[in-house]
Amino acid sequence: MKIIVPMAGRGSRLRPHTLTIPKPLIPIAGKPIVHRLVEDIAGVINQEIEEIAFIIAKDFGTQVEKDLVAIAEKLGAKGTICYQEQPLGTAHAIMSAKESMSGPIVVAYADTLFRADFTLDTTADSVIWVKQVEDPSAFGVVKLDGDRITDFVEKPQDFVSDLAIIGIYYFKSGETLRAELQYLLDNDITKGGEYQLTDGLENMKQKGLRFVPGKVDEWMDCGNKNVTVETNSRLLGFLHADGQDMVSNEARVENSTIIPPCFIDKDVVIINSIVGPNVSLGRATHVSDSKIKNSLIQTHAHIKNATLDNAMIGNHASFDGNFTSISIGDYSVLE
């Protein structure tokens, strides 16, 4: 099995944090989004992962590429770096990894996380990960006939289904998908000037290929600051319920209270403070004389005299003050 991970650009909706680090590498509960994503996919498919191909922009840099390859190697897989030269749509992005599209593959967009406990139907030509949602008009959805997908509908204004496509797909034959997407490119078939994966899926469906849903229990977005902080909180809750110990024994806690669930990394120092619930503190962050809840703080940050709720603070940032709901990027200073 291979996994194809289109990572697109750095993520403009999550600035300023993505000015220095691509969005898929921002840690959620102490682990990068894309790392959690591929781990969760591996858990669902329950098969050996041969290769993970990451599709990135060239300006991500050498260190990012090394970090991505390391993520693949931790799963016992080969890590491959592919470049998308221009942002020309989902199908174009996937085809940037066409050399890796052989045999069974999973395509997964790297700005989403999920929790699921279904068995992958490897007899189907394709499995589309979906989640039941309250307002399907905001999403692409699938329409079912029994357990078979009969239609893909983008942001339906009239109700046709409440099963939203979350951006993760299994294909029994990577070669078949590659041929369909190559057809779009060769014949310049676009929507809004972009080559779309859904057009390839529709062509496959018209040829009689069998599509089935894979229903996930939870779907967590990492699109902007507010939903990323919320996703951090939800994931901390899940990990805590699973019995994971997320407070490092190499953290120093003095005259302070930690209210779970929290992720506290090694070398964190907490003095005269209340931290939690739903807080992630990255490695070597210092917190003093503060109250922090529902917040995502990255590494080597310094926070004092603060009362924070729904905050996101980047690496090596310093914050001293009475603001509450904030979002400051790496190396920022507010004092």
Side-chain angles (χ1 to χ4, degrees):
M1 181 77 70
K2 299 178 181 180
I3 303 176
I4 311 295
V5 187
M7 295 176 58
R10 289 184 171 273
S12 59
R13 291 190 298 152
L14 203 50
R15 290 175 181 166
H17 304 278
T18 51
L19 293 174
T20 52
I21 183 172
K23 178 169 62 176
L25 288 178
I26 288 177
I28 301 293
K31 190 176 292 185
I33 295 168
V34 67
H35 194 168
R36 290 198 176 278
L37 174 65
V38 295
E39 279 187 344
D40 291 343
I41 291 171
V44 167
I45 63 178
N46 196 29
Q47 296 184 30
E48 181 180 353
I49 308 300
E50 174 186 347
E51 178 184 6
I52 303 176
F54 300 96
I55 302 164
I56 65 173
K58 281 191 173 181
D59 68 354
F60 277 22
T62 302
Q63 187 57 53
V64 168
E65 295 180 14
K66 290 180 179 178
D67 291 343
L68 291 172
V69 170
I71 287 171
E73 291 175 347
K74 285 180 181 178
L75 288 170
K78 173 187 175 183
T80 301
I81 303 299
C82 307
Y83 302 109
Q84 185 182 18
E85 302 290 348
Q86 295 176 284
L88 295 178
T90 53
H92 181 268
I94 294 166
M95 285 296 284
S96 300
K98 64 182 179 180
E99 300 301 323
S100 300
M101 295 171 65
S102 61
I105 65 171
V106 171
V107 175
Y109 294 99
D111 60 354
T112 190
L113 293 173
F114 69 95
R115 301 271 288 185
D117 187 24
F118 65 84
T119 300
L120 184 70
D121 182 359
T122 55
T123 67
D125 296 297
S126 178
V127 179
I128 313 297
W129 269 246
V130 296
K131 174 69 173 72
Q132 190 172 29
V133 295
E134 292 185 4
D135 181 16
S137 66
F139 305 97
V141 302
V142 299
K143 188 176 180 180
L144 301 182
D145 181 5
D147 66 349
R148 185 171 184 144
I149 295 172
T150 59
D151 284 295
F152 308 101
V153 184
E154 184 64 28
K155 298 181 180 179
Q157 296 308 302
D158 297 318
F159 183 86
V160 295
S161 168
D162 59 1
L163 294 176
I165 300 170
I166 74 168
I168 306 175
Y169 311 80
Y170 162 80
F171 298 95
K172 185 165 63 175
S173 169
E175 293 89 348
T176 298
L177 176 65
R178 183 176 62 194
E180 292 295 343
L181 299 188
Q182 188 65 55
Y183 178 83
L184 301 180
L185 299 181
D186 290 344
N187 293 275
D188 200 28
I189 299 173
T190 64
K191 287 183 179 175
E194 296 186 340
Y195 301 95
Q196 300 294 349
L197 171 62
T198 49
D199 288 331
L201 299 182
E202 183 62 31
N203 289 343
M204 294 166 69
K205 182 172 66 66
Q206 293 295 332
K207 293 178 179 179
L209 275 69
R210 184 167 71 94
F211 288 78
V212 301
K215 297 181 181 179
V216 304
D217 302 315
E218 300 287 344
W219 176 24
M220 295 163 282
D221 188 17
C222 300
N224 59 41
K225 171 255 181 178
N226 285 337
V227 297
T228 300
V229 171
E230 179 186 355
T231 289
N232 180 69
S233 296
R234 291 174 63 190
L235 190 57
L236 287 172
F238 295 140
L239 297 175
H240 181 68
D242 290 344
Q244 291 197 26
D245 182 5
M246 296 179 286
V247 179
S248 172
N249 57 15
E250 296 181 43
R252 178 159 62 94
V253 181
E254 298 181 3
N255 192 34
S256 298
T257 301
I258 298 175
I259 304 172
C262 287
F263 170 80
I264 311 294
D265 208 345
K266 61 176 61 177
D267 301 325
V268 167
V269 176
I270 304 171
I271 300 173
N272 299 326
S273 298
I274 299 174
V275 174
N278 305 320
V279 173
S280 287
L281 298 180
R283 184 172 185 173
T285 283
H286 285 228
V287 176
S288 61
D289 302 300
S290 298
K291 296 180 180 179
I292 306 174
K293 63 181 179 179
N294 306 315
S295 295
L296 174 56
I297 318 295
Q298 297 187 47
T299 66
H300 298 89
H302 284 76
I303 301 166
K304 60 182 180 179
N305 304 317
T307 300
L308 299 178
D309 185 4
N310 189 41
M312 187 168 177
I313 296 177
N315 301 283
H316 300 274
S318 295
F319 179 76
D320 180 353
N322 296 312
F323 303 96
T324 303
S325 176
I326 65 169
S327 180
I328 60 174
D330 294 0
Y331 299 98
S332 300
V333 177
L334 291 177
E335 58 185 19

